[in-house]
Amino acid sequence: EVQLVESGGGLVQPGGSLRLSCAASGFSFSSYEINWVRQAPGKGLEWVSYISSSGSEIYYADSVKGRFTISRDNAKNSLYLQMNSLRAEDTAVYYCATFGDAWGQGTTVTVSS
Amino acid sequence: QPVLTQPTSLSASPGASARFTCTLRSGINVGSFRIYWYQQKPGSLPRYLLKYNSDSNKQQGSGVPSRFSGSKDASTNAGLLLISGLQSEDEADYYCAIWYSSTWVFGGGTKLTVL
């Protein structure tokens, strides 16, 4: 069974940092491009970042460029998102997703003082 | 002007068909892109429905019924999602997406009400 499981969300103060993780199982993780997508409360889906299967290509949404860093460890079947200089507008549910059938359940990030 | 524009809402009756549009910004040719469609019910994660480039280049999501189908309308520069035989369980938000200029772009979503 294809499975993506995010972790690492929580409550953080503005300007703080968090590291999200996404553990993959049930498919050949190292063969897949993968993304982080977020959804603010009551809002639509917003793409955050992309990483190629090898990690050699990385792209970010303008809203997070320079603050967030995506990475992966294919040996551990894991994806990461290091989030620094967090703002209130980063508050959202964060999903890891292949943009095909594989989406995680999401992890909630709340940025508030 | 956004890259992808979707109507905010759509209403249809059970058993009828619903046609969702995803209009690409002027200057971005729908013929050059695969259009992805997702369904999201309240409190749930997005569900991948299908991707459509052409009738010979399309993919249905795992377990997605054939009454969900994709197409394009070149005259309006739009990707289309058609749901036939509407059921109450189809009530949800529907999002389109494309890979454009090294970014994924989502439409704002269309809320389907089945009444």
Side-chain angles (χ1 to χ4, degrees):
Chain A
E1 178 193 4
V2 171
Q3 201 167 16
L4 294 171
V5 179
E6 302 94 337
S7 61
L11 174 64
V12 62
Q13 292 190 337
S17 297
L18 274 180
R19 188 190 195 215
L20 306 184
S21 299
C22 172
S25 61
F27 67 106
S28 180
F29 178 75
S30 62
S31 300
Y32 281 80
E33 309 163 340
I34 195 161
N35 302 264
W36 287 100
V37 175
R38 69 185 180 184
Q39 188 169 34
K43 302 296 185 183
L45 300 171
E46 180 189 14
W47 171 78
V48 172
S49 184
Y50 159 100
I51 187 166
S52 63
S53 57
S54 67
S56 61
E57 284 185 71
I58 286 174
Y59 303 106
Y60 297 98
D62 287 344
S63 57
V64 307
K65 204 172 292 183
R67 301 187 298 123
F68 290 11
T69 302
I70 191 172
S71 63
R72 67 189 296 163
D73 185 336
N74 285 341
K76 295 183 177 180
N77 289 340
S78 293
L79 173 73
Y80 306 100
L81 186 68
Q82 177 66 42
M83 304 188 295
N84 298 331
S85 304
L86 283 161
R87 307 166 179 167
E89 54 264 36
D90 296 318
T91 294
V93 176
Y94 284 73
Y95 299 100
C96 56
T98 63
F99 267 79
D101 283 310
W103 285 68
Q105 290 290 330
T107 187
T108 300
V109 173
T110 304
V111 184
S112 174
S113 54
Chain B
Q1 188 182 8
V3 172
L4 299 177
T5 300
Q6 296 183 251
T8 305
S9 62
L10 178 62
S11 297
S13 301
S17 295
R19 182 177 178 269
F20 297 80
T21 59
C22 175
T23 304
L24 280 67
R25 185 173 67 198
S26 177
I28 304 173
N29 182 3
V30 69
S32 300
F33 294 91
R34 256 186 227 110
I35 312 293
Y36 289 67
W37 288 95
Y38 301 89
Q39 176 196 64
Q40 188 179 34
K41 297 181 181 180
S44 296
L45 66 143
R47 178 195 185 192
Y48 169 64
L49 294 176
L50 57 91
K51 62 183 175 185
Y52 183 91
N53 191 14
S54 66
D55 285 346
S56 60
N57 186 349
K58 60 184 180 180
Q59 180 194 58
Q60 203 80 351
S62 177
V64 175
S66 59
R67 59 191 188 86
F68 290 81
S69 62
S71 65
K72 292 179 181 178
D73 184 346
S75 67
T76 58
N77 203 35
L80 304 174
L81 173 70
L82 181 70
I83 309 175
S84 59
L86 274 172
Q87 302 173 3
S88 57
E89 67 201 50
D90 297 329
E91 194 162 280
D93 294 326
Y94 291 82
Y95 295 91
C96 61
I98 64 170
W99 177 251
Y100 172 70
S101 192
S102 298
T103 68
W104 278 103
V105 179
F106 284 101
T110 298
K111 182 177 184 60
L112 173 66
T113 301
V114 180
L115 39 68

mmCIF file of all heavy atoms in Angstrom, chain B residues 22-50:
data_model
loop_
_atom_site.group_PDB
_atom_site.id
_atom_site.type_symbol
_atom_site.label_atom_id
_atom_site.label_comp_id
_atom_site.label_asym_id
_atom_site.label_seq_id
_atom_site.Cartn_x
_atom_site.Cartn_y
_atom_site.Cartn_z
ATOM 1 N N CYS B 22 -11.409 25.035 -16.007
ATOM 2 C CA CYS B 22 -10.128 25.509 -15.476
ATOM 3 C C CYS B 22 -9.483 26.301 -16.614
ATOM 4 O O CYS B 22 -8.894 25.719 -17.523
ATOM 5 C CB CYS B 22 -9.291 24.314 -15.069
ATOM 6 S SG CYS B 22 -7.613 24.684 -14.520
ATOM 7 N N THR B 23 -9.635 27.609 -16.569
ATOM 8 C CA THR B 23 -9.228 28.455 -17.689
ATOM 9 C C THR B 23 -7.804 28.953 -17.493
ATOM 10 O O THR B 23 -7.476 29.517 -16.434
ATOM 11 C CB THR B 23 -10.180 29.635 -17.839
ATOM 12 O OG1 THR B 23 -11.517 29.144 -17.993
ATOM 13 C CG2 THR B 23 -9.809 30.480 -19.046
ATOM 14 N N LEU B 24 -6.979 28.734 -18.495
ATOM 15 C CA LEU B 24 -5.598 29.194 -18.434
ATOM 16 C C LEU B 24 -5.514 30.652 -18.860
ATOM 17 O O LEU B 24 -6.236 31.100 -19.759
ATOM 18 C CB LEU B 24 -4.715 28.330 -19.322
ATOM 19 C CG LEU B 24 -4.281 26.982 -18.720
ATOM 20 C CD1 LEU B 24 -5.448 26.044 -18.552
ATOM 21 C CD2 LEU B 24 -3.178 26.351 -19.567
ATOM 22 N N ARG B 25 -4.614 31.371 -18.226
ATOM 23 C CA ARG B 25 -4.410 32.794 -18.519
ATOM 24 C C ARG B 25 -4.065 32.981 -19.989
ATOM 25 O O ARG B 25 -3.386 32.142 -20.595
ATOM 26 C CB ARG B 25 -3.288 33.333 -17.637
ATOM 27 C CG ARG B 25 -3.044 34.816 -17.729
ATOM 28 C CD ARG B 25 -2.028 35.247 -16.686
ATOM 29 N NE ARG B 25 -0.694 34.724 -16.934
ATOM 30 C CZ ARG B 25 0.264 34.668 -16.029
ATOM 31 N NH1 ARG B 25 0.031 35.081 -14.792
ATOM 32 N NH2 ARG B 25 1.457 34.198 -16.336
ATOM 33 N N SER B 26 -4.530 34.054 -20.534
ATOM 34 C CA SER B 26 -4.211 34.382 -21.914
ATOM 35 C C SER B 26 -2.709 34.345 -22.125
ATOM 36 O O SER B 26 -1.945 34.884 -21.317
ATOM 37 C CB SER B 26 -4.755 35.779 -22.234
ATOM 38 O OG SER B 26 -4.400 36.157 -23.531
ATOM 39 N N GLY B 27 -2.309 33.668 -23.215
ATOM 40 C CA GLY B 27 -0.894 33.544 -23.511
ATOM 41 C C GLY B 27 -0.310 32.219 -23.070
ATOM 42 O O GLY B 27 0.818 31.884 -23.441
ATOM 43 N N ILE B 28 -1.059 31.489 -22.256
ATOM 44 C CA ILE B 28 -0.649 30.142 -21.833
ATOM 45 C C ILE B 28 -1.598 29.171 -22.519
ATOM 46 O O ILE B 28 -2.790 29.126 -22.200
ATOM 47 C CB ILE B 28 -0.726 29.985 -20.300
ATOM 48 C CG1 ILE B 28 0.108 31.061 -19.606
ATOM 49 C CG2 ILE B 28 -0.245 28.591 -19.895
ATOM 50 C CD1 ILE B 28 -0.040 31.071 -18.101
ATOM 51 N N ASN B 29 -1.071 28.386 -23.433
ATOM 52 C CA ASN B 29 -1.894 27.557 -24.301
ATOM 53 C C ASN B 29 -2.241 26.228 -23.647
ATOM 54 O O ASN B 29 -1.354 25.439 -23.307
ATOM 55 C CB ASN B 29 -1.136 27.311 -25.617
ATOM 56 C CG ASN B 29 -1.938 26.502 -26.610
ATOM 57 O OD1 ASN B 29 -3.093 26.155 -26.365
ATOM 58 N ND2 ASN B 29 -1.339 26.180 -27.737
ATOM 59 N N VAL B 30 -3.519 25.968 -23.468
ATOM 60 C CA VAL B 30 -3.955 24.741 -22.789
ATOM 61 C C VAL B 30 -3.442 23.488 -23.508
ATOM 62 O O VAL B 30 -3.222 22.456 -22.879
ATOM 63 C CB VAL B 30 -5.488 24.705 -22.652
ATOM 64 C CG1 VAL B 30 -6.166 24.526 -24.017
ATOM 65 C CG2 VAL B 30 -5.918 23.616 -21.673
ATOM 66 N N GLY B 31 -3.228 23.595 -24.801
ATOM 67 C CA GLY B 31 -2.759 22.442 -25.553
ATOM 68 C C GLY B 31 -1.377 21.975 -25.156
ATOM 69 O O GLY B 31 -0.987 20.839 -25.452
ATOM 70 N N SER B 32 -0.647 22.802 -24.455
ATOM 71 C CA SER B 32 0.727 22.473 -24.076
ATOM 72 C C SER B 32 0.845 21.863 -22.686
ATOM 73 O O SER B 32 1.967 21.535 -22.264
ATOM 74 C CB SER B 32 1.587 23.751 -24.118
ATOM 75 O OG SER B 32 1.591 24.320 -25.402
ATOM 76 N N PHE B 33 -0.268 21.682 -21.983
ATOM 77 C CA PHE B 33 -0.184 21.271 -20.588
ATOM 78 C C PHE B 33 -1.064 20.076 -20.268
ATOM 79 O O PHE B 33 -2.158 19.916 -20.800
ATOM 80 C CB PHE B 33 -0.603 22.425 -19.667
ATOM 81 C CG PHE B 33 0.334 23.584 -19.727
ATOM 82 C CD1 PHE B 33 0.109 24.619 -20.626
ATOM 83 C CD2 PHE B 33 1.443 23.636 -18.906
ATOM 84 C CE1 PHE B 33 0.978 25.678 -20.715
ATOM 85 C CE2 PHE B 33 2.319 24.704 -18.987
ATOM 86 C CZ PHE B 33 2.091 25.722 -19.887
ATOM 87 N N ARG B 34 -0.539 19.246 -19.355
ATOM 88 C CA ARG B 34 -1.359 18.216 -18.717
ATOM 89 C C ARG B 34 -2.147 18.908 -17.611
ATOM 90 O O ARG B 34 -1.558 19.614 -16.791
ATOM 91 C CB ARG B 34 -0.465 17.147 -18.089
ATOM 92 C CG ARG B 34 -0.386 15.869 -18.848
ATOM 93 C CD ARG B 34 0.414 14.857 -18.042
ATOM 94 N NE ARG B 34 1.398 14.220 -18.894
ATOM 95 C CZ ARG B 34 2.701 14.418 -18.786
ATOM 96 N NH1 ARG B 34 3.186 15.187 -17.851
ATOM 97 N NH2 ARG B 34 3.505 13.816 -19.614
ATOM 98 N N ILE B 35 -3.449 18.664 -17.579
ATOM 99 C CA ILE B 35 -4.293 19.226 -16.538
ATOM 100 C C ILE B 35 -4.583 18.146 -15.502
ATOM 101 O O ILE B 35 -5.062 17.059 -15.853
ATOM 102 C CB ILE B 35 -5.618 19.750 -17.103
ATOM 103 C CG1 ILE B 35 -5.404 20.622 -18.346
ATOM 104 C CG2 ILE B 35 -6.391 20.491 -16.020
ATOM 105 C CD1 ILE B 35 -4.699 21.930 -18.090
ATOM 106 N N TYR B 36 -4.266 18.445 -14.255
ATOM 107 C CA TYR B 36 -4.516 17.523 -13.154
ATOM 108 C C TYR B 36 -5.781 17.988 -12.413
ATOM 109 O O TYR B 36 -5.989 19.190 -12.246
ATOM 110 C CB TYR B 36 -3.348 17.524 -12.169
ATOM 111 C CG TYR B 36 -2.088 16.883 -12.685
ATOM 112 C CD1 TYR B 36 -1.360 17.441 -13.731
ATOM 113 C CD2 TYR B 36 -1.614 15.708 -12.110
ATOM 114 C CE1 TYR B 36 -0.203 16.846 -14.200
ATOM 115 C CE2 TYR B 36 -0.444 15.106 -12.563
ATOM 116 C CZ TYR B 36 0.249 15.678 -13.602
ATOM 117 O OH TYR B 36 1.405 15.078 -14.062
ATOM 118 N N TRP B 37 -6.556 17.022 -11.926
ATOM 119 C CA TRP B 37 -7.775 17.329 -11.173
ATOM 120 C C TRP B 37 -7.793 16.583 -9.856
ATOM 121 O O TRP B 37 -7.443 15.390 -9.788
ATOM 122 C CB TRP B 37 -9.008 16.954 -11.988
ATOM 123 C CG TRP B 37 -9.265 17.856 -13.147
ATOM 124 C CD1 TRP B 37 -8.869 17.668 -14.447
ATOM 125 C CD2 TRP B 37 -9.964 19.110 -13.118
ATOM 126 N NE1 TRP B 37 -9.295 18.721 -15.229
ATOM 127 C CE2 TRP B 37 -9.953 19.608 -14.440
ATOM 128 C CE3 TRP B 37 -10.587 19.859 -12.114
ATOM 129 C CZ2 TRP B 37 -10.567 20.832 -14.776
ATOM 130 C CZ3 TRP B 37 -11.170 21.053 -12.454
ATOM 131 C CH2 TRP B 37 -11.167 21.531 -13.769
ATOM 132 N N TYR B 38 -8.218 17.313 -8.816
ATOM 133 C CA TYR B 38 -8.286 16.763 -7.470
ATOM 134 C C TYR B 38 -9.654 17.065 -6.863
ATOM 135 O O TYR B 38 -10.243 18.111 -7.135
ATOM 136 C CB TYR B 38 -7.196 17.365 -6.576
ATOM 137 C CG TYR B 38 -5.821 17.109 -7.100
ATOM 138 C CD1 TYR B 38 -5.227 17.988 -7.992
ATOM 139 C CD2 TYR B 38 -5.135 15.956 -6.753
ATOM 140 C CE1 TYR B 38 -3.982 17.729 -8.524
ATOM 141 C CE2 TYR B 38 -3.876 15.692 -7.270
ATOM 142 C CZ TYR B 38 -3.307 16.581 -8.159
ATOM 143 O OH TYR B 38 -2.072 16.324 -8.688
ATOM 144 N N GLN B 39 -10.079 16.161 -6.015
ATOM 145 C CA GLN B 39 -11.316 16.319 -5.252
ATOM 146 C C GLN B 39 -10.948 16.396 -3.774
ATOM 147 O O GLN B 39 -10.105 15.630 -3.300
ATOM 148 C CB GLN B 39 -12.225 15.107 -5.485
ATOM 149 C CG GLN B 39 -13.498 15.082 -4.676
ATOM 150 C CD GLN B 39 -14.143 13.696 -4.675
ATOM 151 O OE1 GLN B 39 -13.589 12.729 -4.174
ATOM 152 N NE2 GLN B 39 -15.325 13.601 -5.270
ATOM 153 N N GLN B 40 -11.570 17.314 -3.051
ATOM 154 C CA GLN B 40 -11.315 17.397 -1.624
ATOM 155 C C GLN B 40 -12.624 17.596 -0.874
ATOM 156 O O GLN B 40 -13.321 18.593 -1.092
ATOM 157 C CB GLN B 40 -10.331 18.518 -1.282
ATOM 158 C CG GLN B 40 -9.899 18.485 0.175
ATOM 159 C CD GLN B 40 -8.905 19.573 0.513
ATOM 160 O OE1 GLN B 40 -8.945 20.672 -0.028
ATOM 161 N NE2 GLN B 40 -7.989 19.271 1.433
ATOM 162 N N LYS B 41 -12.915 16.668 0.002
ATOM 163 C CA LYS B 41 -14.095 16.776 0.860
ATOM 164 C C LYS B 41 -13.685 17.408 2.182
ATOM 165 O O LYS B 41 -12.525 17.330 2.578
ATOM 166 C CB LYS B 41 -14.712 15.399 1.067
ATOM 167 C CG LYS B 41 -15.205 14.782 -0.233
ATOM 168 C CD LYS B 41 -15.841 13.428 -0.031
ATOM 169 C CE LYS B 41 -16.298 12.863 -1.376
ATOM 170 N NZ LYS B 41 -16.938 11.542 -1.243
ATOM 171 N N PRO B 42 -14.621 18.065 2.862
ATOM 172 C CA PRO B 42 -14.285 18.741 4.116
ATOM 173 C C PRO B 42 -13.584 17.821 5.102
ATOM 174 O O PRO B 42 -14.031 16.703 5.356
ATOM 175 C CB PRO B 42 -15.655 19.190 4.637
ATOM 176 C CG PRO B 42 -16.494 19.333 3.421
ATOM 177 C CD PRO B 42 -16.035 18.244 2.484
ATOM 178 N N GLY B 43 -12.460 18.318 5.640
ATOM 179 C CA GLY B 43 -11.728 17.558 6.641
ATOM 180 C C GLY B 43 -10.885 16.423 6.096
ATOM 181 O O GLY B 43 -10.287 15.670 6.878
ATOM 182 N N SER B 44 -10.824 16.292 4.773
ATOM 183 C CA SER B 44 -10.062 15.200 4.153
ATOM 184 C C SER B 44 -8.918 15.719 3.307
ATOM 185 O O SER B 44 -8.906 16.881 2.905
ATOM 186 C CB SER B 44 -10.975 14.346 3.272
ATOM 187 O OG SER B 44 -11.967 13.717 4.051
ATOM 188 N N LEU B 45 -7.979 14.834 3.024
ATOM 189 C CA LEU B 45 -6.883 15.218 2.145
ATOM 190 C C LEU B 45 -7.362 15.216 0.699
ATOM 191 O O LEU B 45 -8.371 14.594 0.383
ATOM 192 C CB LEU B 45 -5.691 14.264 2.312
ATOM 193 C CG LEU B 45 -5.896 12.824 1.874
ATOM 194 C CD1 LEU B 45 -4.629 12.286 1.248
ATOM 195 C CD2 LEU B 45 -6.262 11.991 3.096
ATOM 196 N N PRO B 46 -6.665 15.920 -0.180
ATOM 197 C CA PRO B 46 -7.041 15.905 -1.594
ATOM 198 C C PRO B 46 -6.928 14.503 -2.172
ATOM 199 O O PRO B 46 -6.026 13.733 -1.804
ATOM 200 C CB PRO B 46 -6.018 16.850 -2.240
ATOM 201 C CG PRO B 46 -5.545 17.719 -1.125
ATOM 202 C CD PRO B 46 -5.547 16.844 0.089
ATOM 203 N N ARG B 47 -7.823 14.199 -3.074
ATOM 204 C CA ARG B 47 -7.820 12.913 -3.776
ATOM 205 C C ARG B 47 -7.535 13.170 -5.246
ATOM 206 O O ARG B 47 -8.227 13.962 -5.887
ATOM 207 C CB ARG B 47 -9.173 12.228 -3.636
ATOM 208 C CG ARG B 47 -9.289 10.893 -4.392
ATOM 209 C CD ARG B 47 -10.735 10.475 -4.495
ATOM 210 N NE ARG B 47 -10.896 9.155 -5.112
ATOM 211 C CZ ARG B 47 -12.065 8.655 -5.525
ATOM 212 N NH1 ARG B 47 -13.168 9.369 -5.384
ATOM 213 N NH2 ARG B 47 -12.118 7.454 -6.054
ATOM 214 N N TYR B 48 -6.528 12.488 -5.773
ATOM 215 C CA TYR B 48 -6.187 12.617 -7.181
ATOM 216 C C TYR B 48 -7.247 11.935 -8.040
ATOM 217 O O TYR B 48 -7.522 10.739 -7.853
ATOM 218 C CB TYR B 48 -4.816 11.984 -7.418
ATOM 219 C CG TYR B 48 -4.421 11.795 -8.857
ATOM 220 C CD1 TYR B 48 -4.240 12.885 -9.707
ATOM 221 C CD2 TYR B 48 -4.203 10.518 -9.355
ATOM 222 C CE1 TYR B 48 -3.856 12.697 -11.028
ATOM 223 C CE2 TYR B 48 -3.818 10.323 -10.662
ATOM 224 C CZ TYR B 48 -3.638 11.404 -11.499
ATOM 225 O OH TYR B 48 -3.250 11.220 -12.795
ATOM 226 N N LEU B 49 -7.861 12.681 -8.951
ATOM 227 C CA LEU B 49 -8.892 12.114 -9.816
ATOM 228 C C LEU B 49 -8.312 11.630 -11.150
ATOM 229 O O LEU B 49 -8.537 10.493 -11.562
ATOM 230 C CB LEU B 49 -9.976 13.159 -10.098
ATOM 231 C CG LEU B 49 -10.813 13.599 -8.902
ATOM 232 C CD1 LEU B 49 -11.777 14.711 -9.321
ATOM 233 C CD2 LEU B 49 -11.565 12.423 -8.300
ATOM 234 N N LEU B 50 -7.628 12.526 -11.834
ATOM 235 C CA LEU B 50 -7.116 12.179 -13.159
ATOM 236 C C LEU B 50 -6.201 13.274 -13.660
ATOM 237 O O LEU B 50 -6.145 14.368 -13.108
ATOM 238 C CB LEU B 50 -8.276 11.986 -14.146
ATOM 239 C CG LEU B 50 -9.245 13.157 -14.342
ATOM 240 C CD1 LEU B 50 -8.822 14.090 -15.474
ATOM 241 C CD2 LEU B 50 -10.659 12.628 -14.608
#
